Amino acid sequence: MRGWTANDIPGLRGRRAIVTGANSGIGYHTALQLARHGASVVLACRSAERGQAAFDRMKAAAPDSDIALGSLDLADLSSVRTFAARHGDAPLAILVNNAGVMALPRRSTADGFEMQFGTNHLGHFALTGLLLPALRAAPSARVVTVTSGFAWAGRLDFDDLQGERRYRKWTAYGQAKLANLIFTKELDRRVPELTSVAAHPGYAATNLQQAGPKMQGNTLMEKVTGIGNAVIAQSAAAGALPSLYAATADVEGGACYGPRLLQYRGAPGKVVTPPQAARPGLGERLWDVSETLTGVTYAPAPA
């Protein structure tokens, strides 16, 4: 039986979407397909130069698309607030929390957070909260948060969330990706007016895998990951399908969608998530910590 493809995306005219990290990889292909199917899409990008290049490429691929370019650095909460103020003034039907960093040497965000936890989780937590009025203003709004299979190895270390006492890059990445899953489930529980779901791309060829080795000056590992992307991984366009499925198909709130073939590649569908993502009380604790660290609270729905 044929699996779900981008051709199965319904018409999205009249729906507005924001995709973070839309300048490359699965973020680019997610934004492109949403725009091709009629959505008005904001490309939320950190680099103005790479964002403009993606905008130009997308316009060439889909000349009739309604796209706009927005400046967003998830590693800087002031940038998150500025972006939300500029793009949160109209109903928002789809928010795809896609941008992220992976397995970096220890770095800090502008606000002093460990870069992977700060960018992958806290930046998106703040962005979603600040855009919540716009999401509530759209009928059947949906938030898609992109996680990873590395969430299975994740553990939230509340005594050292920022990796100040001990830092291991893959441990920090697993923690951030587990936080994405926990946030997804807790958001769906706390804000029933919208649907919150997670997605993960399996093994998709993007520049994410090579960023860490490049920052470390590890030329050998950079080449190895490049070979892996070329030989083993599925394309970035295929990796975007779970995000697109989560954003547009009939889904279950709080669930995760990924490649159905061993969660590695293939057509998207609902996938099993690590048991720790649903551990009682963990979502509440992460939520409280995230509000304290970011200063962003999720206002209750208007009466």
Side-chain angles (χ1 to χ4, degrees):
M1 183 179 294
R2 182 183 68 90
W4 192 92
T5 72
N7 293 329
D8 295 307
I9 298 172
L12 300 173
R13 193 160 303 281
R15 309 279 280 171
R16 192 168 73 99
I18 291 173
V19 181
T20 69
N23 59 282
S24 66
I26 65 172
Y28 173 85
H29 288 283
T30 300
L32 174 62
Q33 292 298 341
L34 293 175
R36 274 180 169 163
H37 287 81
S40 172
V41 184
V42 178
L43 317 181
C45 305
R46 181 176 61 85
S47 165
E49 180 181 0
R50 291 195 292 272
Q52 186 62 54
F55 178 92
D56 295 341
R57 186 157 55 107
M58 201 173 296
K59 267 298 185 183
D64 296 329
S65 61
D66 180 6
I67 58 174
L69 186 59
S71 176
L72 172 65
D73 183 355
L74 289 160
D76 184 345
L77 291 178
S78 66
S79 174
V80 175
R81 290 182 181 278
T82 299
F83 177 89
R86 288 177 178 170
H87 298 281
D89 58 350
L92 178 63
I94 301 170
L95 171 61
V96 183
N97 291 324
N98 164 80
V101 293
M102 182 175 79
L104 304 179
R106 196 185 189 288
R107 298 286 190 275
S108 295
T109 69
D111 304 281
F113 308 131
E114 185 275 313
M115 185 64 74
Q116 298 192 76
F117 188 74
T119 301
N120 297 356
H121 169 62
L122 292 175
H124 281 128
F125 177 91
L127 178 66
T128 305
L130 293 167
L131 291 174
L132 191 56
L135 288 161
R136 283 181 165 139
S140 305
R142 195 170 296 189
V143 176
V144 178
T145 301
V146 178
T147 182
S148 161
F150 277 94
W152 283 84
R155 183 178 71 88
L156 291 183
D157 184 357
F158 287 102
D159 294 325
D160 193 23
L161 276 177
Q162 312 302 335
E164 295 169 313
R165 293 204 295 269
R166 185 181 188 187
Y167 181 78
R168 291 182 176 177
K169 61 184 182 180
W170 287 108
T171 300
Y173 182 65
Q175 174 179 254
K177 293 289 100 179
L178 176 61
N180 290 150
L181 274 179
I182 295 170
F183 166 67
T184 293
K185 293 178 181 297
E186 189 67 10
L187 176 63
D188 196 69
R189 184 181 75 82
R190 289 178 180 246
V191 189
E193 313 92 88
L194 55 83
T195 300
S196 170
V197 291
H200 83 78
Y203 185 8
T206 71
N207 59 14
L208 193 63
Q209 291 91 343
Q210 293 175 288
K214 192 171 186 178
M215 288 181 69
Q216 288 180 304
N218 190 335
T219 306
L220 176 60
M221 187 54 65
E222 188 179 352
K223 288 181 179 178
V224 168
T225 54
I227 292 170
N229 281 353
V231 176
I232 303 173
Q234 60 182 352
S235 68
L241 289 178
S243 294
L244 290 164
Y245 186 95
T248 66
D250 184 13
V251 296
E252 175 187 335
C256 182
Y257 296 83
R260 290 191 293 183
L261 182 58
L262 302 176
Q263 297 201 35
Y264 168 70
R265 63 187 305 138
K270 183 181 174 183
V271 296
V272 176
T273 54
Q276 58 265 37
R279 187 175 300 158
L282 197 58
E284 291 186 11
R285 187 174 184 187
L286 177 63
W287 196 277
D288 290 344
V289 168
S290 300
E291 285 190 336
T292 298
L293 291 174
T294 63
V296 174
T297 57
Y298 284 51

